[in-house]
């Protein structure tokens, strides 16, 4: 589940007191700014923008693919937090409303459309395989699930993190259906499957007080 920042978020590369780039954080911020403008992320141009050599940039962020994964992971969290604003309700209903808002924000995101038009295969690899983006999305979903469990509004059969990872993978497979051979995003179908995963489990086999790590 990857996304975009809120329209009013500003991404500014931080700098050290000397005015020189502040390292990996500056590289991530600069790359994120290019992404939000719908621009390609070129490592040579980014290094020049930051006033460092390519070797330094690669030492800070790893490969271009790793940097793009970090950018999309950051955008995922920003989008998720915007989607969560003002979401009411409790239990499964709240989770489904939040997920619905998040997925629709993702598929409508102009920066993401620009990226997928340029590099669709790379995007699918980054977005649907285990890695930075899935880990960030799973962590966010696990926290939401655990909050509802702790309030007594949700009873589940699976460890929280396992359930969160399942929800993320279901959302990805339907949300990106149009990149995987389908005709369009299938958000309603994703919500139907997640609703099944969140249905009350009765008194036997439920997990009521596990933490987000799945213990």
């Amino acid at each position: 589940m990857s996304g975009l920042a809120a329209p009013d978020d500003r991404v500014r590369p931080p700098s050290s007191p000397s005015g020189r780039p502040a390292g990996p954080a500056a590289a991530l911020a600069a790359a994120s700014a290019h992404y939000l403008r719908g621009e390609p992320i070129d490592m040579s141009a980014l290094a020049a923008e930051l006033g460092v050599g390519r070797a330094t940039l690669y030492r800070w962020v790893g490969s271009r693919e790793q940097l793009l994964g970090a950018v999309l992971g950051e955008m995922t969290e920003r989008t998720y937090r915007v989607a969560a604003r003002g979401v009411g309700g409790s239990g499964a209903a709240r989770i489904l409303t939040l997920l619905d808002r998040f997925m629709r924000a993702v598929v409508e995101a102009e920066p993401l459309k620009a990226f997928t038009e340029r590099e669709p295969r790379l995007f699918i690899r980054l977005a649907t395989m285990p890695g930075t983006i899935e880990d960030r999305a799973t962590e966010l979903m696990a926290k939401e699930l655990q909050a509802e469990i702790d309030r007594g509004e949700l009873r589940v059969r699976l460890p929280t993190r396992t359930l969160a990872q399942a929800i993320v993978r279901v959302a990805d497979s339907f949300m990106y259906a149009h990149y995987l051979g389908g005709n369009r995003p299938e958000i309603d179908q994703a919500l139907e499957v997640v609703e099944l995963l969140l249905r009350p489990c009765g008194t036997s086999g439920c997990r009521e007080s596990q933490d987000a790590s799945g213990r």
Side-chain angles (χ1 to χ4, degrees), residues 49-91:
E49 178 182 336
L50 294 166
V52 299
R54 281 172 55 92
T56 297
L57 178 60
Y58 280 101
R59 187 171 67 252
W60 282 351
V61 302
S63 66
R64 178 176 182 268
E65 189 167 313
Q66 288 174 305
L67 175 58
L68 285 166
V71 168
L72 290 173
E74 181 75 10
M75 296 302 109
T76 294
E77 181 162 354
R78 288 168 179 259
T79 305
Y80 201 91
R81 298 200 183 287
V82 171
R85 292 174 187 167
V87 173
S90 61

Side-chain angles (χ1 to χ4, degrees), residues 31 46 56 69 71 79 88 126 137 143 192:
L46 188 62
T56 297
V71 168
T79 305
L126 290 171
K143 288 180 179 178
E192 289 175 3

Side-chain angles (χ1 to χ4, degrees), residues 11-26:
V11 182
R12 298 187 179 90
S15 60
S16 67
S18 65
R20 296 179 63 82

Side-chain angles (χ1 to χ4, degrees), residues 22-42:
L28 178 59
S32 296
H34 284 288
Y35 169 83
L36 289 170
R37 292 194 295 267
E39 301 167 353
I41 295 174
D42 178 271

Side-chain angles (χ1 to χ4, degrees), residues 13 15 89 124 132 140 171:
S15 60
I124 286 299
T132 302
L140 292 165

Side-chain angles (χ1 to χ4, degrees), residues 6 15 19 26 41 56-57 69 87-89 91 95 108 111 125 144 152-153 156 158 164 167 179 184 186:
S15 60
I41 295 174
T56 297
L57 178 60
V87 173
I95 298 297
E108 293 169 5
R125 185 164 72 250
E144 294 287 348
E153 299 291 345
V156 298
L158 297 172
I167 290 172
Y179 299 126
R184 56 182 176 78
E186 299 172 346

Side-chain angles (χ1 to χ4, degrees), residues 149-211:
I149 291 169
D150 290 344
R151 285 196 288 266
E153 299 291 345
L154 189 66
R155 295 165 63 86
V156 298
R157 293 185 177 91
L158 297 172
T160 312
R161 186 170 180 83
T162 301
L163 178 57
Q165 187 175 54
I167 290 172
V168 167
R169 290 184 175 179
V170 166
D172 285 346
S173 65
F174 284 95
M175 183 166 52
Y176 304 132
H178 51 314
Y179 299 126
L180 299 169
N183 294 323
R184 56 182 176 78
E186 299 172 346
I187 292 175
D188 290 337
Q189 291 91 326
L191 294 170
E192 289 175 3
V193 175
V194 173
E195 183 179 15
L196 289 175
L197 292 173
L198 295 175
R199 280 185 179 175
C201 61
T203 57
S204 61
C206 285
R207 297 169 179 266
E208 298 183 10
S209 60
Q210 63 209 2
D211 64 24

